Amino acid sequence: MSRPVIVIHGGAGALARQAMNGEREQQYRDALGLIVRRGQGILAQGGSALDAVTEAVRLLEECPLFNAGKGAVYTHQGGHELDAAIMDGHTLAAGAVSGVTRIRNPILAARGVMEHSPHVMLIGAGAESFAFGLGLEQVAADYFSTPERYAQWRRALDNDSGAVLDHDSASDPIDADRKFGTVGAVACDEAGHVAAATSTGGMTNKQAGRVGDSPIIGAGCYADDATAAVSCTGTGEIFMRRVAAYDVAAQMAYGGHTLMDAAQRVIFEKIQPLGGTGGLIAVDAAGNVALPFNSEGMYRAIGYVGSDIDIGIYR
């Protein structure tokens, strides 16, 4: 028997507790709660895991608290380049877009690629032309900007700090600029099918053209009914080198590990030894969930159908 559930994340590397005031924390909790309830409602009505993760990530893209869609970070050159991916564990169909600048909801474009093209990934202008041909909403390039993200970018330029991986660090645990901003969702529906979706604005002050793990199937996003659905957040280059999302599934398929064991092994035995920081969310076809992370926190929420939701930020 499958237990329908949706899990979402708003990025790893939450602000240090001493830097998070009560009002700010409540804003994050309210946003996470609203979004996970929407996905929970889709599953409660018999909807698919694919529809649930699509809607959850679309809403995360609409929320300027998170680095995906509205509120995406700036590149070094002063623009916004967004990435997204989605995968259906039932059919193993997948779609992704990368380096898009005018698509309001990149996750809808990724699903469009999956469902309406023979390809898995489209990039840049080609991805945008395809998405607009499907009727997806086009926005001005500055739509994604917020005053907070602009200030964050200016600080990175002024400090000549290079690309800022948004994670907390022991040397500067209260830096509001250092927290991962990828968003994602995984779900299991009543039929036992799983799906995963991931979306991001990347790293503050990144080089234009940089692509991280989020839109890469197997690195930042993966789903297979036979094993698990996984969405990652963290040091993208290391998650790519470890093929982190697929590694969870592979350890279950070939090593006989449980979902929890596999997810923990990837974060703490594969990602961490290479200096990587971050986490992942995962669910299997029975509705078991895992949410390991090695950063100070990870914005997250779990919504089992018929149960109260569980929201967390810190360990």
Side-chain angles (χ1 to χ4, degrees):
M1 293 289 292
S2 298
R3 190 179 178 195
V5 63
I6 182 167
V7 185
I8 65 173
H9 72 76
L15 295 178
R17 290 179 187 271
Q18 59 267 42
M20 177 78 83
N21 62 44
E23 180 181 357
R24 189 67 165 171
E25 180 172 345
Q26 194 58 50
Q27 289 176 346
Y28 280 104
R29 289 183 174 276
D30 289 346
L32 292 167
L34 173 68
I35 294 166
V36 82
R37 286 188 187 94
R38 184 73 65 89
Q40 190 183 42
I42 290 171
L43 296 174
Q45 295 171 5
S48 68
L50 188 64
D51 285 345
V53 298
T54 302
E55 177 64 2
V57 172
R58 185 191 71 81
L59 290 172
L60 285 161
E61 290 175 343
E62 292 287 311
C63 181
L65 291 173
F66 305 107
N67 172 21
K70 183 69 174 177
V73 298
Y74 281 79
T75 66
H76 178 73
Q77 288 74 12
H80 304 277
E81 295 183 354
L82 292 80
D83 307 325
I86 192 166
M87 188 164 183
D88 182 353
H90 179 45
T91 63
L92 299 186
V97 295
S98 182
V100 299
T101 62
R102 294 178 179 270
I103 301 172
R104 176 169 178 151
N105 293 112
I107 196 61
L108 299 184
R111 183 159 176 179
V113 171
M114 180 182 74
E115 295 181 333
H116 300 291
S117 85
H119 309 301
V120 170
M121 177 182 281
L122 295 177
I123 66 169
E128 292 177 343
S129 177
F130 177 81
F132 301 147
L134 295 178
L136 296 186
E137 183 174 352
Q138 180 175 354
V139 294
D142 62 357
Y143 163 79
F144 305 105
S145 178
T146 64
E148 292 79 10
R149 293 303 188 192
Y150 180 79
Q152 185 182 51
W153 172 61
R154 290 304 313 179
R155 286 192 295 271
L157 290 178
D158 293 343
N159 295 333
D160 193 26
S161 57
V164 179
L165 283 171
D166 286 348
H167 66 283
D168 50 4
S169 69
S171 61
D172 193 9
I174 314 180
D175 186 350
D177 296 342
R178 301 177 67 80
K179 60 183 193 309
F180 294 124
T182 305
V183 306
V186 296
C188 172
D189 59 34
E190 63 182 16
H193 301 315
V194 300
T198 309
S199 182
T200 190
M203 302 186 301
T204 296
N205 204 31
K206 67 181 180 180
Q207 174 63 40
R210 180 262 185 184
V211 179
D213 65 304
S214 297
I216 298 178
I217 301 302
C221 184
Y222 189 74
D224 184 348
D225 283 1
T227 50
V230 184
S231 175
C232 300
T233 171
T235 316
E237 279 69 14
I238 293 177
F239 279 74
M240 283 190 281
R241 287 159 57 192
R242 284 300 197 181
V243 199
Y246 177 71
D247 196 10
V248 175
Q251 292 199 38
M252 295 173 70
Y254 306 130
H257 293 284
T258 65
L259 176 71
M260 182 63 73
D261 287 344
Q264 294 272 357
R265 284 165 61 90
V266 166
I267 295 300
F268 296 104
E269 297 181 21
K270 300 294 189 71
I271 298 298
Q272 189 162 296
L274 291 182
T277 304
L280 63 83
I281 58 174
V283 62
D284 64 20
N288 299 307
V289 302
L291 302 88
F293 56 93
N294 67 357
S295 51
E296 179 167 344
M298 181 171 71
Y299 300 99
R300 61 200 186 275
I302 305 170
Y304 279 99
V305 170
S307 299
D308 292 336
I309 63 171
D310 183 14
I311 299 172
I313 296 178
Y314 300 102
R315 293 182 186 276

